[in-house]
């Protein structure tokens, strides 16, 4: 009997074609001499990150920004500099090993031809993280760090650091050694006990991007001019909103964290909750300090996201405004002004030549009226000399916003307030920058909570894995696809699968396992089959490229796949995938056992003269 042959066509409906067997008997695997299995490679060290406070030098750590900052915060056990040598060494080792996702950090990079730029990435009571972008040839002034520690991770390009003594001698600041080159991926450290410094991009063509951790954060530092003068320079776009030194809120008031807890429990009277809202001093520092403002546009900082609500704090410099945008018929929106004044203008409404507008004073809670949902609007700080801070609650949660001029943008950009938590991960459309290990942790939580299909689907659809990480798992084979087992749990297992163009699977089911497939790169064609209730034969139901996003297949799903381009997929099975059944045209099946060895999975080979080699799924 001939087994199923897979035909990869150039048409959009490239299907797996079943050929009817000549007889009903099943083909058995050709016997082959037993081979000693090769010793499997060890799992990459990124799948077993070190415990907080302890680092080894075993390779890269693939981290999201929020995970990186969480680990940095745990290592900065004190809130004031100077830090001891062990702490400095630990943070430098962490930064040196950290492999960050360019798709995530590029959101914070703003390149300008006239000077280098600084954008806030995260604010914590122990540190401030900024993303600095250096165009070719740009340099900082000679400066100190106001008593704080400065850790730098170079994300792309090359930089040079020149240290100086704070002594003006013979018309110049005395250099301490020569310029030190910093390459992509390296981490450096500086504080005032080591002198002053200047950072520059030595390239005449290539920009550079660096991540700077200032611990603790500061808003002003000393600038050491080329003429010997020392002045005070601002490190931020605004001096921010002064926080109250009181340690506790007045009775009946609600902190920002408590507001998030109330919304997560499906609270309905949002206006009443916002009327009670008052930020704690720590929350004011995190969301309203000078580092939270940006000179390139108003800044958005995520404070809470759950299945029903999102909370975003917006920081506006004088005169800053949003682009025109529409909230949408299905959106509910509430606003509270925490500092300054905020104006909503609706250019397409009102009498001729005059647009409708609403001005919100400090402390006012504003629930959006129904007519506003579908009207184009502009939000802005109407003041010419003071900042504004506003808080916005949206339901369903806001993950992206379409603007008339600049298109879709992520609605939130505050990495320190967007942890890799299940509640945020399963909100549809909420980008989740994480590692394979981080994704596995979230899947652990999702399956422990019952493995809801929609939750797992959204989690996988939202996941933005670092390409540098998953490419490390690729095991290309021109004859068959190659799989690497990256998570093996009681409730599920997960594989990263590499497909060369033309690699295919037989037509098969998953022997009682449901599955989720996420295409990370390339294109995978799929043919889906049903079983005729009358004859028991297979019939083709649909074929074509696998849908964008995540494809879910229920326990009895029968399909076959072929790679129309080189591609890479992430596949999750629950219960864990241990075997499959391969089908012929009459619906007869043969079990294909799956053998797990170390971190690799290989299936039995089914061969026959003049037929392709078939592997289990």
């Amino acid at each position: 009997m001939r087994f199923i042959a897979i035909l990869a066509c150039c048409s959009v409906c490239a299907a797996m074609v079943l050929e009817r067997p000549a007889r009903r008997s099943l083909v058995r695997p050709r016997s082959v001499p037993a081979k000693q299995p090769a010793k499997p490679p060890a799992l990459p060290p990124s799948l077993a990150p070190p415990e907080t406070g302890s680092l080894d030098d075993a390779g890269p750590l693939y981290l999201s920004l929020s995970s990186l900052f969480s680990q940095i915060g745990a290592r900065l056990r004190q809130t004031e500099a100077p830090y001891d040598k062990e702490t400095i060494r630990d943070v430098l080792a962490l930064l040196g090993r950290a492999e960050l996702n360019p798709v995530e950090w590029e959101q914070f990079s703003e390149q300008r031809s006239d000077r280098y730029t600084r954008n806030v990435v995260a604010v914590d009571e122990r540190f401030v993280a900024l993303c600095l972008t250096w165009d070719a040839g740009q340099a900082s002034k000679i400066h100190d760090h106001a008593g704080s520690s400065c850790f730098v991770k170079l994300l792309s390009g090359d930089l040079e650091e020149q240290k100086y003594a704070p002594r003006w001698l013979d018309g110049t600041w005395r250099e301490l050694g020569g310029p030190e080159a910093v390459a992509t991926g390296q981490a450096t450290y500086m504080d005032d006990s080591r002198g002053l410094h200047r950072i520059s991009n030595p390239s005449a063509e290539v920009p550079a991007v660096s991540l700077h951790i200032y611990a603790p954060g500061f808003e002003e530092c000393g600038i050491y001019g080329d003429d010997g003068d020392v002045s005070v320079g601002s490190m931020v776009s605004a001096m921010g909103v002064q926080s109250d030194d009181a340690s506790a809120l007045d009775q009946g008031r609600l902190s920002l964290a408590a507001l998030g807890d109330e919304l997560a429990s499906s609270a309905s009277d949002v206006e009443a909750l916002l009327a009670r809202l008052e930020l704690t001093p720590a929350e004011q520092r995190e969301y309203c300090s000078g580092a939270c403002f940006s000179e390139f546009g108003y800044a958005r900082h995520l404070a809470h996201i759950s299945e029903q609500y999102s909370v975003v704090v917006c920081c506006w410099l004088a005169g800053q405004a949003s682009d025109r945008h529409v909230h949408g018929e299905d959106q509910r929106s509430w606003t509270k002004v925490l500092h300054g004044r905020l104006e909503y203008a609706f250019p397409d409404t009102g009498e001729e030549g005059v647009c409708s507008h609403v001005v919100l004073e400090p402390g006012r809670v504003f629930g959006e009226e129904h007519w506003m949902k579908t009207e184009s609007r502009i939000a802005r700080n109407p003041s010419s000399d003071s900042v504004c801070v506003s808080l916005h609650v949206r339901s369903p949660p806001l993950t992206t916003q379409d603007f008339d001029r600049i298109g879709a943008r992520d609605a939130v950009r505050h990495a320190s307030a967007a942890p890799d938590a299940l509640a945020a991960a399963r909100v549809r459309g909420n980008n989740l920058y994480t590692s394979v290990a981080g994704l596995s942790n979230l899947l652990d939580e999702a399956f422990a909570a019952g493995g809801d299909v929609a939750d797992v689907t959204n989690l996988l659809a939202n996941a933005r894995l670092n390409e540098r990480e998953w490419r490390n798992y690729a095991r290309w084979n021109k004859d068959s696809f190659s799989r690497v087992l990256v998570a093996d749990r009681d409730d599920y297992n997960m594989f990263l699968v590499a497909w060369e163009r033309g690699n295919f699977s037989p037509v098969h089911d998953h022997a009682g396992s449901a599955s989720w497939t996420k295409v990370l790169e390339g294109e995978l064609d799929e043919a889906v089959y049903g079983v005729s209730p009358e004859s028991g034969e297979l019939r083709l139901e649909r074929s074509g490229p696998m849908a964008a996003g995540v494809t879910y297949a229920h326990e009895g799903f029968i399909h076959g796949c072929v790679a129309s381009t080189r591609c890479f997929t992430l596949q999750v099975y629950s219960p864990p995938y241990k075997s499959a059944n391969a089908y012929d045209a009459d619906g007869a099946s043969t079990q294909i056992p799956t053998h797990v060895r170390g971190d690799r999975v290989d299936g039995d080979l089914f061969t026959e003269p003049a037929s392709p080699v078939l592997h289990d799924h």
Side-chain angles (χ1 to χ4, degrees):
M1 170 188 113
R2 286 188 298 172
F3 253 76
I4 305 159
I6 307 285
L7 177 61
C9 302
C10 296
S11 67
V12 68
C13 291
M16 284 45 119
V17 180
L18 296 173
E19 294 188 0
R20 186 178 303 280
R23 57 185 184 275
R24 300 282 302 180
S25 61
L26 298 176
V27 174
R28 300 303 178 192
R30 179 193 302 174
S31 60
V32 293
K35 294 182 179 179
Q36 292 297 324
K39 184 179 179 181
L43 284 174
S46 57
L47 297 187
E51 295 181 359
T52 297
S54 173
L55 282 172
D56 56 34
D57 56 356
L61 282 170
Y62 294 94
L63 299 172
S64 65
L65 286 170
S66 60
S67 296
L68 173 65
F69 299 141
S70 176
Q71 293 206 35
I72 288 176
R75 287 163 173 77
L76 298 178
R77 292 172 287 273
Q78 61 197 64
T79 57
E80 297 294 333
Y83 296 100
D84 57 51
K85 292 181 179 179
E86 181 183 358
T87 298
I88 295 170
R89 183 174 62 249
D90 279 357
V91 175
L92 274 177
L94 171 64
L95 287 171
R97 291 181 61 197
E99 284 282 355
L100 301 175
N101 192 338
V103 179
E104 181 178 19
W105 60 254
E106 283 172 358
Q107 298 179 88
F108 302 95
S109 177
E110 185 85 24
Q111 186 176 337
R112 295 280 294 270
S113 60
D114 55 339
R115 58 183 175 81
Y116 75 97
T117 63
R118 296 187 294 260
N119 269 323
V120 64
V121 183
V123 181
D124 182 273
E125 63 178 348
R126 288 157 293 190
F127 65 87
V128 170
L130 300 179
C131 180
L132 276 64
T133 304
W134 314 78
D135 203 355
Q138 290 178 343
S140 71
K141 298 181 183 298
I142 301 172
H143 61 279
D144 61 31
H145 293 95
S148 289
S149 292
C150 172
F151 299 89
V152 177
K153 167 79 172 181
L154 186 54
L155 302 176
S156 69
D158 294 291
L159 290 176
E160 280 186 352
E161 178 186 31
Q162 176 64 60
K163 295 185 176 72
Y164 300 86
R167 294 176 54 195
W168 179 257
L169 186 65
D170 296 330
T172 186
W173 299 103
R174 185 168 67 87
E175 294 182 352
L176 299 176
E180 299 175 17
V182 184
T184 298
Q186 285 187 303
T188 67
Y189 174 79
M190 186 66 177
D191 64 37
D192 291 347
S193 70
R194 304 186 181 199
L196 318 172
H197 77 167
R198 181 206 304 268
I199 294 179
S200 61
N201 178 1
S203 173
E205 298 178 353
V206 181
V209 181
S210 52
L211 179 68
H212 294 237
I213 314 294
Y214 300 106
F218 57 94
E219 296 187 347
E220 294 179 326
C221 67
I223 302 297
Y224 296 75
D226 294 338
D227 57 1
D229 287 344
V230 180
S231 59
V232 175
S234 175
M235 291 288 292
V236 296
S237 302
M239 295 311 293
V241 178
Q242 295 299 314
S243 63
D244 189 348
D245 292 331
S247 58
L249 298 180
D250 294 338
Q251 187 174 4
R253 308 301 285 177
L254 202 65
S255 69
L256 189 52
L259 172 66
D261 292 339
E262 292 282 349
L263 294 175
S265 62
S266 302
S268 57
D269 194 346
V270 176
E271 289 194 32
L273 292 175
L274 290 179
R276 295 169 51 201
L277 175 68
E278 182 179 316
L279 272 59
T280 66
E283 290 170 342
Q284 291 181 47
R285 288 191 295 271
E286 183 169 354
Y287 295 102
C288 311
S289 65
C292 295
F293 293 80
S294 171
E295 62 186 301
F296 307 110
Y298 76 101
R300 305 178 296 273
H301 308 305
L302 177 67
H304 168 81
I305 188 165
S306 56
E307 291 185 66
Q308 290 188 306
Y309 296 98
S310 62
V311 179
V312 175
V313 178
C314 294
C315 296
W316 314 75
L317 293 179
Q320 283 184 338
S322 71
D323 283 289
R324 285 177 61 144
H325 60 283
V326 177
H327 281 181
E329 184 70 39
D330 65 335
Q331 282 281 330
R332 292 181 296 161
S333 174
W334 299 265
T335 303
K336 179 169 184 174
V337 177
L338 304 176
H339 182 85
R341 298 163 70 233
L342 184 70
E343 179 183 31
Y344 285 127
F346 300 89
D348 299 331
T349 64
E351 298 178 3
E352 186 175 353
V354 180
C355 72
S356 298
H357 67 278
V358 177
V359 178
L360 307 182
E361 301 292 338
R364 180 180 174 184
V365 177
F366 176 71
E368 184 176 65
E369 297 178 29
H370 188 271
W371 67 268
M372 299 176 178
K373 295 176 182 289
T374 55
E375 291 293 339
S376 181
R377 76 183 63 200
I378 297 171
R380 73 183 188 95
N381 176 4
S383 174
S384 60
D385 57 9
S386 63
V387 299
C388 169
V389 179
S390 57
L391 181 140
H392 305 258
V393 178
R394 297 283 289 273
S395 181
L398 180 68
T399 56
T400 59
Q401 178 69 63
D402 287 320
F403 295 96
D404 288 1
R405 184 177 61 87
I406 60 176
R409 292 290 186 272
D410 283 354
V412 297
R413 297 191 55 190
H414 197 339
S416 63
D420 298 340
L422 182 60
R426 63 190 182 192
V427 175
R428 182 183 294 274
N430 185 38
N431 284 340
L432 171 69
Y433 298 97
T434 189
S435 63
V436 172
L439 179 58
S440 300
N441 291 337
L442 290 167
L443 287 170
D444 290 348
E445 292 186 53
F447 283 105
D452 180 79
V453 171
D455 283 352
V456 176
T457 302
N458 288 339
L459 193 163
L460 291 171
N462 294 341
R464 300 290 182 267
L465 297 175
N466 191 330
E467 182 179 337
R468 295 174 184 172
E469 179 182 19
W470 57 256
R471 282 192 180 281
N472 287 337
Y473 294 96
R475 304 291 188 271
W476 301 108
N477 186 329
K478 67 182 179 61
D479 296 319
S480 67
F481 62 86
S482 177
R483 294 174 303 184
V484 177
L485 178 67
V486 295
D488 195 14
R489 307 288 196 268
D490 291 339
D491 295 320
Y492 74 95
N493 52 15
M494 179 165 62
F495 303 86
L496 283 161
V497 186
W499 308 73
E500 277 284 14
R501 182 177 183 272
N503 285 168
F504 58 88
S505 71
V507 176
H508 64 283
D509 63 21
H510 299 133
S513 294
S515 70
W516 291 261
T517 300
K518 179 183 178 74
V519 179
L520 299 174
E521 180 182 274
E523 188 171 283
L524 191 67
D525 288 338
E526 178 186 46
V528 178
Y529 295 88
V531 178
S532 170
E534 293 81 16
S535 65
E537 296 181 351
L538 292 186
R539 61 170 182 263
L540 179 66
E541 294 185 344
R542 67 177 186 274
S543 64
M546 191 167 279
V550 172
T551 300
Y552 171 73
H554 56 76
E555 290 84 348
F557 199 76
I558 300 174
H559 72 159
C561 298
V562 61
S564 54
T565 66
R566 174 181 268 207
C567 70
F568 212 103
T569 59
L570 180 72
Q571 295 176 232
V572 175
Y573 300 89
S574 180
Y577 175 51
K578 300 299 183 184
S579 66
N581 297 304
Y583 288 80
D584 64 21
D586 281 341
S589 64
T590 301
Q591 187 180 49
I592 310 174
T594 298
H595 306 293
V596 179
R597 299 199 303 266
D599 70 334
R600 298 298 302 275
V601 175
D602 297 295
D604 287 347
L605 302 184
F606 287 77
T607 62
E608 178 183 2
S611 5
V613 176
L614 302 182
H615 290 256
D616 70 299
H617 193 33

